[in-house]
Amino acid sequence: QQQQQEQPQRPPLQRQVEELHHQQHAQQQHLQILQLQQQVQEQQYRIGQLTQLLTQEQQQKHRLKSRQSVLQQDFQLRQSVLQQDFQLQLAQLQQQQQQQ
């Protein structure tokens, strides 16, 4: 008789165990989803950092280019002034030679 009383108790426990397994499985899936979301957020943050770095580098490159352009113009101007100065001196020397 005792066995007959114990028997009906087993299925509810079995159901509880199955339910717990199901909950555990659902929680594991939820955890995996959260972990993936965290990875995505970390990657998005990293992409943001890299984009910022790239932008800074491009700005620096642009500044260097304009600095180079200014230096180039300055150099050409000085060269042109020196050239004119040289030609003036050369003309004066030739004039002095002709006078002698």
Side-chain angles (χ1 to χ4, degrees):
Q1 262 193 335
Q2 266 192 341
Q3 275 187 344
Q4 281 179 348
Q5 286 176 352
E6 279 177 21
Q7 216 100 27
Q9 281 185 342
R10 273 182 106 170
L13 272 178
Q14 189 66 36
R15 263 204 305 274
Q16 245 180 327
V17 166
E18 283 169 12
E19 218 171 289
L20 284 171
H21 273 304
H22 181 69
Q23 283 177 1
Q24 190 181 18
H25 185 64
Q27 283 178 336
Q28 279 176 333
Q29 281 182 330
H30 187 60
L31 181 66
Q32 285 175 333
I33 288 168
L34 287 175
Q35 286 171 335
L36 287 171
Q37 286 174 335
Q38 187 184 9
Q39 285 175 1
V40 168
Q41 283 179 346
E42 283 168 3
Q43 285 170 348
Q44 285 173 335
Y45 176 69
R46 187 83 187 110
I47 287 169
Q49 283 182 317
L50 290 171
T51 305
Q52 197 177 13
L53 272 177
L54 188 64
T55 306
Q56 286 171 351
E57 280 179 17
Q58 285 170 340
Q59 287 172 341
Q60 195 175 2
K61 201 174 177 181
H62 181 69
R63 279 197 297 269
L64 286 172
K65 266 205 166 129
S66 37
R67 175 102 182 98
Q68 184 184 15
S69 161
V70 167
L71 288 171
Q72 193 107 34
Q73 287 171 351
D74 186 52
F75 171 76
Q76 285 168 345
L77 187 67
R78 286 168 192 261
Q79 197 178 27
S80 137
V81 168
L82 283 172
Q83 190 80 36
Q84 287 172 356
D85 197 37
F86 172 75
Q87 301 214 296
L88 190 66
Q89 288 180 357
L90 188 65
Q92 287 173 343
L93 278 174
Q94 287 173 338
Q95 211 173 16
Q96 285 173 3
Q97 280 182 338
Q98 284 172 354
Q99 284 173 354
Q100 286 175 351

